[in-house]
Amino acid sequence: MAPDSLGFIFLNAFLINNFVLALFLGLCPFMGVSGKIKTAAPMGAAVTFVMLVASSCAFGINRLLVRFDIEYLRLIAYIAVIASAVQLVEMTIKKFSPTLFRMLGIFLPLITTNCAILGMALFQTFLEYSFIQSLVYSLGAGAGFSLALILMAGMREKLDLANVPDACMGTAAALMIAGLLSLAFMGFAGLGG
Amino acid sequence: MAADPRQPKPLTRQTLTEGLWKENPVFVMLLGLCPALAVSNTAINALAMGLASTFVLLGSSLLISLLRNFIPKQVRIASYIIIIATFVTAVDYIIHALSLELYNALGAFIQLIVVNCAILGRAEAFASKNPVRHSLVNGFGMGAGFTLALVMVGAVREILGFGSLFGVALFGEQFQTWAVFILPPGGFFVLSFWLVLFAVVAKRRAAKEVAHGS
């Protein structure tokens, strides 16, 4: 596949350069919400949605910034857009599913400080993707984030029943699992090349 | 916010040291994990990232603490993020000017300091409620703790992955490097090992205290 074809861009963001397991982006929610599959799946969906909104806004904003030669404001403009998109998602979820809203708790507003989203917006700018390419890229990144979150949640649910040495309980064990998952994802490195 | 902001607690040694160890942002509070793992494949990168974050932390603590009585409560998070983003943009340009090599090694992670939750956490939990002097001291402690944690992870990964420390080769030619430690999985493993080590030490100490007490 050609490196700028849509299929490759999606695959690249989804598996090869998985945002969580290969680029270390979005680790806070990854560690925080991956306890149960029930919360992991909606969290992944929320992040994917914010990514799509942020990606299309970031594309437009970048055009404007370049046009007026004020690229040094890029970081501030992007973070403002992301914060507003998160606010939108928060209000929507609160309206349609108060239960889900309570389950996600503090991690919902914290999507703003999820580096996966800002990272995605910055990368698509560095890589100079077109509008459609940016959208596909953000969709792949969101799907990759959800995949990692759900895989991790499944393993942690099993881990709760396992007999783990006291010192390794909690985060240390979760990090080790993340390391193993990351090792497994390295197998995708040659994919599509 | 129980304490009256006009009568701050005295500046104690704890203001400085709590960030260094007891509330270390990476090892204890698990904040700012993304940069801690992503750029800690060598000790030098880790140190540079730590120093850049410390600079942003100090600058934003200063400004937020100065403005703490003017920022309305409802828009405080947005204001903090904008202040932090300003300092990060400055750091980004400074590093770009100082060393292109370092700039390329750290990549997008310099700009991603904006979303380092350790910095926003400090702004919300400390700088917004305390006078300038306290905030600076506390910010410095937190920054030092963050740098320390990064260098600890980075040093282990560099020794095992490259057989060197701060770019100086430690072993002879025949040293077989463990490439996995400079790749992403290594970051997770090393941080996990440190956490296990600390848990074991804390447990031993607690057991000893119990034995002494009875």
Side-chain angles (χ1 to χ4, degrees):
Chain A
M1 272 185 276
D4 54 352
S5 74
L6 294 181
F8 183 76
I9 290 174
F10 181 82
L11 212 58
N12 182 33
F14 182 48
L15 292 176
I16 304 171
N17 280 316
N18 186 286
F19 269 52
V20 180
L21 297 168
L23 299 179
F24 293 118
L25 294 169
L27 283 179
C28 298
F30 180 63
M31 287 295 157
V33 223
S34 64
K36 286 198 182 73
I37 293 185
K38 234 169 145 185
T39 47
M43 185 68 185
V47 167
T48 310
F49 177 74
V50 174
M51 274 189 171
L52 277 172
V53 175
S55 165
S56 39
C57 293
F59 183 81
I61 286 180
N62 190 46
R63 275 286 163 86
L64 274 180
L65 292 180
V66 172
R67 174 102 186 256
F68 292 105
D69 209 17
I70 43 172
E71 281 128 318
Y72 56 87
L73 285 179
R74 184 182 289 146
L75 205 54
I76 298 178
Y78 280 11
I79 199 85
V81 165
I82 293 172
S84 337
V86 170
Q87 196 75 48
L88 193 73
V89 172
E90 201 181 336
M91 287 190 303
T92 318
I93 294 188
K94 198 174 181 180
K95 179 100 172 74
F96 288 106
S97 170
T99 345
L100 186 61
F101 183 74
R102 271 198 301 278
M103 260 170 21
L104 292 175
I106 181 72
F107 285 100
L108 204 52
L110 278 185
I111 297 179
T112 311
T113 51
N114 183 338
C115 30
I117 295 170
L118 184 62
M120 184 273 307
L122 289 173
F123 287 148
Q124 77 172 32
T125 315
F126 293 151
L127 295 170
E128 293 176 350
Y129 280 154
S130 70
F131 184 67
I132 300 292
Q133 282 174 325
S134 300
L135 276 185
V136 171
Y137 186 63
S138 66
L139 195 66
F145 181 83
S146 312
L147 176 72
L149 205 62
I150 291 170
L151 279 177
M152 184 76 177
M155 285 162 98
R156 281 178 84 169
E157 276 184 3
K158 290 271 180 290
L159 189 73
D160 283 344
L161 306 170
N163 194 5
V164 183
D166 278 359
C168 303
M169 289 277 264
T171 330
L175 278 170
M176 256 179 231
I177 295 181
L180 291 174
L181 260 183
S182 165
L183 208 55
F185 266 67
M186 279 176 58
F188 292 119
L191 207 67
Chain B
M1 230 165 107
D4 183 1
R6 274 161 300 181
Q7 288 179 324
K9 280 183 268 179
L11 191 63
T12 59
R13 189 192 256 176
Q14 218 190 342
T15 320
L16 178 67
T17 54
E18 70 170 9
L20 217 54
W21 198 248
K22 229 172 92 199
E23 286 186 29
N24 187 295
V26 177
F27 290 138
V28 180
M29 300 203 291
L30 297 168
L31 293 173
L33 283 184
C34 313
L37 294 177
V39 292
S40 63
N41 52 359
T42 69
I44 292 179
N45 286 355
L47 186 66
M49 188 65 191
L51 291 180
S53 306
T54 308
F55 173 79
V56 174
L57 194 54
L58 279 177
S60 58
S61 289
L62 174 75
L63 212 57
I64 289 166
S65 180
L66 276 174
L67 296 173
R68 71 184 185 282
N69 295 326
F70 300 102
I71 297 177
K73 217 169 165 19
Q74 295 83 353
V75 294
R76 64 185 196 287
I77 302 285
S79 326
Y80 298 161
I81 289 215
I82 301 249
I83 291 175
I84 295 170
T86 313
F87 281 100
V88 172
T89 309
V91 166
D92 189 55
Y93 280 93
I94 293 173
I95 295 184
H96 201 162
L98 285 179
S99 162
L100 197 62
E101 195 189 348
L102 196 61
Y103 186 77
N104 289 333
L106 296 181
F109 279 93
I110 306 172
Q111 304 205 352
L112 287 176
I113 297 178
V114 180
V115 281
N116 184 333
C117 11
I119 294 176
L120 189 64
R122 264 307 88 180
E124 167 76 359
F126 203 93
S128 60
K129 296 169 194 163
N130 288 282
V132 176
R133 211 154 43 107
H134 293 59
S135 305
L136 277 180
V137 171
N138 186 268
F140 183 76
M142 275 289 162
F146 186 68
T147 311
L148 179 74
L150 247 70
V151 172
M152 278 165 77
V153 174
V156 173
R157 289 180 72 182
E158 194 182 344
I159 292 173
L160 295 175
F162 287 114
S164 61
L165 187 60
F166 287 105
V168 182
L170 293 178
F171 311 105
E173 290 272 307
Q174 70 278 30
F175 181 71
Q176 195 73 44
T177 55
W178 292 9
V180 69
F181 278 99
I182 47 174
L183 293 170
F188 286 114
F189 288 138
V190 171
L191 184 60
S192 171
F193 291 153
W194 278 119
L195 288 179
V196 171
L197 191 68
F198 292 146
V200 170
V201 170
K203 211 164 187 207
R204 286 252 172 95
R205 195 175 290 168
K208 211 178 265 177
E209 262 165 33
V210 169
H212 274 289
S214 59

